[in-house]
């Protein structure tokens, strides 16, 4: 098994710290902006860090190019995972937008969820204000978790969409 592939493991009961994800405010805002930039298509990206604390966000291309489906671009996923690994971090969340529906996992979202150790953050663009909710999806079981927006520290932001296009990808 390659180091960047997800580990197949049974989900253990979550500690209190694992029931929330802490996102720096600047990363949270960039994530929301990314979702609006991609509208009417679903946007998607990655958040990396340690133990539910986000240190960096990565805007990625939606390989599906769809208003109802998402799939993080394979090359961009690998690039983010490699960089995270080099910095002693891991992918802690996968985010995507719902353009016209609530921030609740769809049947497709649940079926495609294969990283039990990651949060799945859904940003709804329905209505006047965006709303984000965090979920864990393990073996088809869905549980909601708290998003804490941290205003006291900044995180890093990378737009892999531009980086890949610039390199000719």
């Amino acid at each position: 098994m390659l180091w960047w592939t997800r580990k197949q493991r049974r989900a253990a009961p979550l500690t209190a710290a694992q029931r929330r994800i802490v996102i720096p405010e600047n990363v949270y805002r960039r994530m929301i902006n990314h979702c609006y930039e991609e509208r009417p298509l679903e946007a998607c990206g990655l958040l990396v860090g340690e133990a539910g604390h986000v240190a960096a966000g990565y805007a990625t291309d939606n390989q599906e190019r769809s208003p109802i489906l998402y799939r993080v671009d394979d090359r961009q996923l690998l690039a983010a995972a490699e960089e995270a690994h080099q910095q002693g971090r891991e992918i802690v969340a996968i985010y995507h937008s719902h353009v016209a529906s609530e921030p609740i996992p769809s049947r497709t979202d649940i079926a495609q969820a294969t990283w039990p150790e990651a949060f799945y953050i859904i940003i709804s663009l329905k209505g006047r204000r965006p709303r984000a909710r965090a979920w864990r999806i393990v073996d088809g079981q869905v549980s909601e978790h708290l998003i804490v927006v941290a205003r006291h520290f900044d995180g890093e932001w990378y737009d892999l969409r531009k980086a890949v296009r610039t390199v000719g990808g």
Side-chain angles (χ1 to χ4, degrees):
M1 179 185 312
L2 298 174
W3 65 263
W4 54 269
T5 59
R6 70 174 180 81
K7 297 176 184 122
Q8 291 285 347
R9 56 183 155 176
R10 280 270 181 232
L14 299 175
T15 66
Q18 292 172 315
R19 295 183 189 278
R20 66 184 188 146
I21 183 166
V22 180
I23 306 172
E25 183 178 25
N26 70 312
V27 171
Y28 183 83
R29 289 181 185 277
R30 302 285 298 265
M31 181 176 67
I32 299 294
N33 289 341
H34 171 215
C35 292
Y36 277 112
E37 289 168 6
E38 294 293 328
R39 191 170 57 172
L41 303 177
E42 283 195 3
C44 57
L46 305 165
L47 302 177
V48 302
E50 301 173 62
H53 284 77
V54 173
Y58 293 81
T60 64
D61 286 314
N62 177 354
Q63 200 163 327
E64 295 293 333
R65 304 295 301 156
S66 167
I68 58 171
L69 297 171
Y70 82 94
R71 180 174 160 193
V72 173
D73 179 88
D74 293 334
R75 289 179 295 165
Q76 295 166 3
L77 172 62
L78 181 57
E82 285 177 347
E83 186 171 313
H85 179 73
Q86 290 171 356
Q87 296 174 351
R89 299 173 178 164
E90 63 184 359
I91 295 171
V92 296
I94 301 161
Y95 73 85
H96 76 280
S97 61
H98 280 185
V99 178
S101 63
E102 299 298 322
I104 298 169
S106 67
R107 279 185 249 163
T108 303
D109 293 337
I110 295 167
Q112 291 180 335
T114 58
W115 292 44
E117 60 278 359
F119 288 94
Y120 288 87
I121 298 175
I122 302 174
I123 298 104
S124 173
L125 304 180
K126 178 182 176 184
R128 291 170 31 125
R129 299 179 70 187
R131 291 176 321 237
R133 292 171 73 180
W135 308 88
R136 294 256 191 186
I137 305 171
V138 180
D139 296 328
Q141 299 299 308
V142 179
S143 58
E144 186 170 10
H145 298 272
L146 181 65
I147 296 175
V148 177
V149 178
R151 292 174 171 80
H152 59 279
F153 67 94
D154 286 339
E156 302 160 14
W157 184 259
Y158 303 96
D159 191 334
L160 297 182
R161 299 169 302 158
K162 293 178 184 174
V164 169
R165 281 195 279 272
T166 301
V167 182

